[in-house]
Every structure is written in C-alpha cells, then in structure tokens.
Amino acid sequence: MASSLLSSPKPSSFSSANPTSTPRPRAQTLSPFRAAAPRFSHGLATAAAAANPSASRRCYHRAFARPVRASMAQPRRPEYVPNRIDDPNYVRIFDTTLRDGEQSPGATMTSAEKLVVARQLARLGVDIIEAGFPASSPDDLDAVRSIAIEVGNTPVGEDGHVPVICGLSRCNKRDIDAAWEAVRHARRPRIHTFIATSEIHMQHKLRKTPEQVVAIAKEMVAYARSLGCPDVEFSPEDAGRSNREFLYHILEEVIKAGATTLNIPDTVGYTLPYEFGKLIADIKANTPGIENAIISTHCQNDLGLATANTLAGAHAGARQLEVTINGIGERAGNASLEEVVMAIKCRRELLGGLYTGINTQHITMSSKMVQEHSGLHVQPHKAIVGANAFAHESGIHQDGMLKYKGTYEIISPDDIGLTRANEFGIVLGKLSGRHAVRSKLVELGYEITDKEFEDFFKRYKEVAEKKKRVTDEDIEALLSDEIFQPKVFWSLADVQATCGTLGLSTATVKLIGPDGEEKIACAVGTGPVDAAYKAVDDIIQIPTVLREYSMTSVTEGIDAIATTRVVVTGDVSDSKHALTGHSFSRAFSGSGAALDIVVSSVRAYLSALNKMSSFVGAIKASSEVSESQRVQTTE
C-alpha cells in the first residue's frame, strides 16, 4: 500500500485510504512558475516577465532611467492573526537561529546568551522567534521559557511589536507538552511540530506506513490545540522529496485538526528554485482548506540554493519564510535572514510588492552578535554582512564609487546599520574620555548598561595606552570579548609564558574561581598556548578535548588585536537532536581578544569552559528540581 500510494501521481490513489474522498480537479494555472519553469534559471525576473510582460518592460526602463538601490520605506506591519495575513503582500519572517542555527557544530549557546540574542531578534523585528527545542534538554526548556516570559511579553519599536515565541517538537505528546510548558508564558505562543513525509524517511527512519503518519500528524496537531495553544505550525519533514498527492492529503488533514501554519521544508537542500516555487504553487492550488492556513518555507543550503529557493517560494505564494542570522544551521546551513530580507527589499517590484516587518538597520548588529555568541564567524565575502560586502579595491570600482556610490552598490550600508570607518568623524586614542567612547559605541549601534560600559572602558584604556589609534574593529573586538561572554565561573587574573628555541615552553596562569579564590598553576607544553591551556586544565579540572583553534588579526599592523576562537567538547550528552532524537555530546565555543596572543588564547579557552560549566550547572539544577518534585509526588 505504501509503495503504490507514494509512486502514483493520480489523485485516485487515495481511494483505498479514504473512500469518501473524490478526485480533485487540477488548477489550470497554478503560478508563473508552471509556465516559466524551463526559463526560470535566468532568475525571478524571467518568471515575472512571463506572468506580466508589460510590468517587466516598465521595470526594465525604470532600472536604466535611474540608479537602483534598496528603498527604506515600507508599509506598516499588519495585525498578527495566526492563520491569516490581512495584507496579501506581507511576508512573515520566522527566525530559527536559536533552534536550527544552534544545532551547528560548536554553536551551543547558554541560556543567558540565547536570551540576549532573542532580545536582539525582537529589535530586528522578526515576526516569530523559534527559541529552541524544549524536549531536547532541561536547559533548553528553561531557555525557551525565559525568552517567552521576557521577550514574548515586551513590546519593542515604534509599533510596539511583540514577537511570537515558538518551540519545536516532534509529533509525540512528551515533546508537545515540553514545548507548551516553555512557550505558554508568551503573549503569542506557538507550537511547531513535525513528522517526516517522504518515502525514504517513512520507510527507513520512521518505519511507518503513510496512513500511520497521517494519523499521528492529525492526532498531535489536535493535541497541541487541545492544550490551549491557538497557534500550531506543522512541518512535513523532507517535503521537497515527498509525493505530491500524499503531501496535499496530510496537509488537508492537519488543517482540519487545527494547524494554522504549514511549513514546507526542503530538509536536505535538494530542490532547485523553479522546483521549489512550483511545489509551493501546487500546494496552494491543490490543498483543500489552504485558505485557512499560512504557507511557510524552510530551505536548507546543501546546494547553496537556500536563499534562491526561499525567494521562489515567496514569489509562488508562501507568506512565512524560515531563516537564520548569517545562514547558520545544520550541515551547510539555512536560508540567510539578511540575504532574503534585503533581496525582498531591493527587488520588491519584481516580487509582486512583497515586504517584511524587519528593521534592516539592526542587521549588522544582529549578525555580529550571533557570530560572537555562536562562535561561527562568516566568511569575508558573505553577502550583506561579510567584511568585504561593501569594500571596493578594484581601481575601476573605486573610480565609480567616488563619482556615484550607486554605480557599484545596490544596497546602501546605512540600510543594514553599517557605517564605514572612513566616514566617521571621531578618531579614538589614549586621550579619549568616557563621553567620546560612549558616543562611538552608540554610533556603532551598541546599547550597553553603565556597568558593562565601565568594564569595557577599562579594557579600552589598556589597549589605547599601547596603540596610537584605536579603530572601530578594535572596539568591536574588545566589546565582544568583554560583554558577549557567558556567565563567569573562572576569570583570568594573570598569565606569563616563556618560549623560544633555547628551552621548553612554560606558562604560569592565575585564575579567580567562582568563590573569589585565586588559584595558580604552572605547566610545560609544546608551545606557549599549549602550556597555558595545560595550566588552566590543572586548575579547573574539567575533562575537555580541544577540537578547534583559530586566531585572526582584527586590523593591520604589528600592534593589531588578536581574536581567538576555540571549540571544546566534554562529557556532556544530556541533549537530543531535534530530527533524530539521539543524544549527543555538545560542543562549546569560546572567543577572546587581546593584544597578546597568549592572553587572547586563554580568554577564549576560559570562555568555552565557562559555557560548559554553565550548561552542566543548569542540567544539575534541573535534575535536582525534577527529583525533588518526584519525591514530593511520591510522598
């Protein structure tokens, strides 16, 4: 039954599974993608031209009549209703940086870091924040709950926007209960549940028949609604490789069960843009009841097509787009929020007038924050947020830029909150006071507390005494090292190292412990960093394995600040993977910055160890609470 059901392209293949169903007529014209599919490789403009040649000619003439750059103006965000959007041109942005993004190897964030990132995502203006996978670990449940309580109830921006807080769950009651417990405190809670629907997944992973999968999906969506959750999202995992008729059927059933959003994931990044656009259009045309739900996209980047597929889905009728900051996520990552949002903003005319509620001037800050907290830095040529995205070195390009910036920039750096260093009027040095430094931080888009500023200013003065000029890059590196750090269990007091060709490398390290006690250790290593790390291990006594170590120079020159990134693993396996459900050992990243490379390296190592300590402490605390509740219940 399973093989015939999945292989047959005919609607009548469901007659045995659902005797009361009748064949559904095919729509004559599903979308521009059906007519333009063979030509879609030329881009969305070609598809738009096929649908409306006169509009295409108007866009063509306008493009050559004036320079084209992204516009800042956009309509107001419509009122949030779970299963409908009153403005057909509005596209919801669903950010899963804290869930799918955090599943990147080494990207583990502490609860405190997740809360900081969630606040920034709210300022950015995302409509839905998928805050985590609550059933994966007690720490993740606590993190999602904290985000729901604070971020999910705090209006931000001029329009008083409050984001939806979402928790992921597999299609089982335990996961859904955990998700609801975490998100129910938010003003707008959402449960996102999923089950695989492709033949390869149902046969080899689930070992269930299509009928069983449909029954489970219906039951669990209805169960989520029965808990009191008014907003339930359903994802047919691996939809890109699922049988179309089966997909229409299961989506129809979960809509009846109460699903408000239908997310269509290209789980393995397999489809091409015209295929994915046609998939969305076919679902929109052939799924009964689809007018009572929002169609969403979730595109992985295995073939480098996540952004293109997401835009194709939006053009075909999807009105929610699942993305991550910097495109981080499983394997090759996800569709990048900044790429998708800026593409919609820059090419709005060719996308049918689509727009989002994102405040793009927060993009740069959001990107930097996620880089620091996740430990995953973007490549220099990364679109929108890469270091070279607005850099011009070619003589021809420089000549054009000097004459008119629109010659080589389709997006203004100001649109994403980026101000180029050579356009600033303030030059900082050792004589700069608190007011000048504070003004510079505001200029760069950073908002920190008075206590954080005083800690940062102390570090700034130390560097300014040794450098003639402190650049914006130096400031951002120091700020990240001082402010964007996990809860401090161990802090660095002093480190001294000797190395060279005349003897063994040695290091002496003094750390300040959680109780304020100072501890000192000496060690010998193959180099000064190895010796310092061994000394740290002698003090902290946490079994770890160093998986990655990298160092970069923040600026040019021999006096540049060094930024170090490390990834460590330890005996921490209390987490479960969202898709497989298997327990895995978490990796923890850390970063540090200093003029001295050994100091920078030790700071990064301590940052990673503090993350691990925080995570282990959260697990122990949750276990103690659970045990106490179990004892009370027994009594």
Side-chain angles (χ1 to χ4, degrees):
M1 175 60 195
S3 59
S4 63
L5 177 62
L6 293 171
S7 60
S8 173
K10 301 177 181 179
S12 58
S13 62
F14 269 96
S15 58
S16 59
N18 186 1
T20 62
S21 65
T22 58
R24 294 187 289 274
R26 292 284 190 178
Q28 295 302 311
T29 302
L30 298 181
S31 78
F33 292 94
R34 172 159 289 190
R39 300 190 296 277
F40 191 71
S41 58
H42 298 294
L44 288 170
T46 308
N52 192 343
S54 61
S56 177
R57 285 194 295 272
R58 288 196 301 272
C59 292
Y60 177 87
H61 289 305
R62 278 197 293 269
F64 283 87
R66 56 174 173 78
V68 178
R69 299 182 92 190
S71 170
M72 294 294 291
Q74 65 182 27
R76 289 179 61 86
R77 185 196 314 265
E79 185 70 23
Y80 183 81
V81 180
N83 66 336
R84 76 169 194 272
I85 302 175
D86 291 333
D87 186 343
N89 288 333
Y90 185 75
V91 179
R92 289 174 179 167
I93 297 299
F94 177 112
D95 185 277
T96 184
T97 301
L98 297 176
R99 201 279 301 169
D100 197 320
E102 204 221 2
Q103 289 177 195
S104 303
T108 301
M109 290 183 246
T110 64
S111 296
E113 289 174 315
K114 284 187 174 184
L115 184 57
V116 170
V117 172
R119 290 194 197 107
Q120 180 61 23
L121 292 175
R123 284 193 288 268
L124 181 62
V126 302
D127 298 273
I128 303 99
I129 299 174
E130 188 167 55
F133 178 32
S136 67
S137 71
D139 183 63
D140 213 38
L141 191 151
D142 290 340
V144 177
R145 182 192 289 118
S146 297
I147 292 169
I149 292 172
E150 180 176 327
V151 181
N153 289 282
T154 305
V156 294
E158 295 179 358
D159 61 351
H161 170 59
V162 178
V164 174
I165 305 300
C166 176
L168 182 71
S169 68
R170 292 162 296 188
C171 272
N172 65 64
K173 289 186 177 182
R174 176 184 171 276
D175 277 24
I176 292 172
D177 286 339
W180 179 239
E181 169 55 32
V183 303
R184 66 184 178 86
H185 308 278
R187 182 185 299 183
R188 294 169 177 159
R190 176 186 290 191
I191 294 174
H192 179 192
T193 189
F194 70 94
I195 191 169
T197 56
S198 67
E199 183 173 11
I200 190 170
H201 275 240
M202 289 190 290
Q203 180 180 344
H204 297 287
K205 187 181 77 171
L206 299 181
R207 292 185 169 86
K208 295 185 183 297
T209 66
E211 292 82 3
Q212 289 174 318
V213 169
V214 171
I216 292 170
K218 288 168 51 181
E219 181 185 359
M220 290 301 104
V221 169
Y223 179 69
R225 288 299 300 264
S226 73
L227 295 176
C229 185
D231 196 356
V232 176
E233 177 172 337
F234 173 76
S235 290
E237 186 190 356
D238 204 20
R241 295 188 295 176
S242 297
N243 173 272
R244 291 291 174 87
E245 297 301 328
F246 178 61
L247 206 53
Y248 306 151
H249 177 62
I250 194 169
L251 294 177
E252 176 187 0
E253 293 302 316
V254 296
I255 292 172
K256 293 177 182 177
T260 53
T261 299
L262 305 177
N263 180 48
I264 310 302
D266 183 22
T267 304
V268 293
Y270 180 71
T271 61
L272 299 179
Y274 84 88
E275 288 181 301
F276 193 75
K278 188 174 185 300
L279 172 62
I280 297 298
D282 286 350
I283 288 172
K284 186 176 181 181
N286 293 282
T287 303
I290 196 67
E291 66 278 2
N292 298 317
I294 305 298
I295 301 177
S296 174
T297 69
H298 182 109
C299 300
Q300 299 291 140
N301 203 40
D302 296 71
L303 294 178
L305 297 171
T307 294
N309 283 340
T310 300
L311 293 172
H315 190 262
R319 288 300 177 265
Q320 177 182 286
L321 309 179
E322 302 201 358
V323 292
T324 62
I325 301 294
N326 299 333
I328 65 173
E330 288 275 9
R331 304 184 309 280
N334 290 275
S336 165
L337 180 145
E338 57 276 8
E339 293 174 12
V340 169
V341 168
M342 293 310 295
I344 291 174
K345 186 170 188 176
C346 191
R347 306 309 305 277
R348 183 179 175 188
E349 291 180 347
L350 290 181
L351 288 169
L354 300 182
Y355 70 100
T356 72
I358 296 297
N359 183 344
T360 60
Q361 291 190 319
H362 284 283
I363 284 178
T364 296
M365 180 61 179
S366 302
S367 172
K368 290 176 180 177
M369 182 179 288
V370 169
Q371 288 183 65
E372 292 303 326
H373 285 314
S374 69
L376 301 177
H377 291 186
V378 301
Q379 68 269 31
H381 55 277
K382 167 75 170 66
I384 313 299
V385 294
N388 295 343
F390 295 95
H392 304 272
E393 189 166 335
S394 163
I396 296 175
H397 286 219
Q398 289 177 348
D399 179 65
M401 285 293 294
L402 289 171
K403 292 174 178 174
Y404 184 71
K405 292 179 181 178
T407 54
Y408 286 102
E409 285 185 351
I410 61 172
I411 299 169
S412 169
D414 296 337
D415 287 356
I416 63 167
L418 175 66
T419 309
R420 281 176 278 224
N422 59 6
E423 295 176 353
F424 291 151
I426 298 176
V427 177
L428 296 182
K430 68 178 182 179
L431 299 179
S432 299
R434 283 178 168 77
H435 180 70
V437 175
R438 191 94 194 216
S439 297
K440 172 62 73 173
L441 295 180
V442 173
E443 192 174 26
L444 293 174
Y446 291 91
E447 298 177 7
I448 60 177
T449 65
D450 292 339
K451 172 64 168 60
E452 290 172 334
F453 175 76
E454 290 302 321
D455 293 339
F456 164 77
F457 189 73
K458 180 180 178 182
R459 290 285 305 279
Y460 163 80
K461 279 294 187 180
E462 293 173 357
V463 171
E465 288 292 335
K466 301 175 183 178
K467 294 193 69 173
K468 183 177 180 180
R469 178 186 176 188
V470 182
T471 67
D472 297 337
E473 290 80 6
D474 293 329
I475 289 174
E476 289 173 342
L478 291 175
L479 190 67
S480 298
D481 185 50
E482 189 65 42
I483 305 301
F484 297 155
Q485 288 295 339
K487 180 180 178 181
V488 175
F489 289 87
W490 295 91
S491 59
L492 176 64
D494 295 298
V495 57
Q496 183 68 39
T498 60
C499 62
T501 60
L502 299 179
L504 295 173
S505 296
T506 61
T508 302
V509 175
K510 179 194 291 185
L511 300 181
I512 301 175
D515 55 0
E517 181 182 359
E518 294 183 349
K519 294 190 177 183
I520 301 175
C522 301
V524 175
T526 56
V529 173
D530 180 50
Y533 281 15
K534 287 178 178 176
V536 170
D537 289 340
D538 288 344
I539 295 174
I540 297 182
Q541 297 289 317
I542 297 178
T544 58
V545 177
L546 181 64
R547 298 295 183 186
E548 294 181 28
Y549 174 93
S550 62
M551 179 178 290
T552 57
S553 172
V554 174
T555 58
E556 298 176 347
I558 195 65
D559 61 351
I561 289 179
T563 295
T564 307
R565 177 181 180 265
V566 300
V567 176
V568 302
T569 56
D571 187 20
V572 182
S573 58
D574 194 62
S575 298
K576 293 184 179 179
H577 194 281
L579 299 182
T580 65
H582 297 150
S583 296
F584 64 94
S585 295
R586 282 183 176 256
F588 300 87
S589 64
S591 62
L595 288 169
D596 187 296
I597 62 173
V598 178
V599 176
S600 172
S601 299
V602 173
R603 286 184 180 277
Y605 194 47
L606 285 175
S607 174
L609 293 179
N610 280 329
K611 276 189 181 181
M612 184 181 293
S613 299
S614 177
F615 186 75
V616 172
I619 291 175
K620 289 182 178 179
S622 296
S623 300
E624 291 172 358
V625 170
S626 299
E627 179 63 20
S628 174
Q629 292 175 343
R630 187 189 66 79
V631 171
Q632 291 176 1
T633 302
T634 304
E635 292 175 347

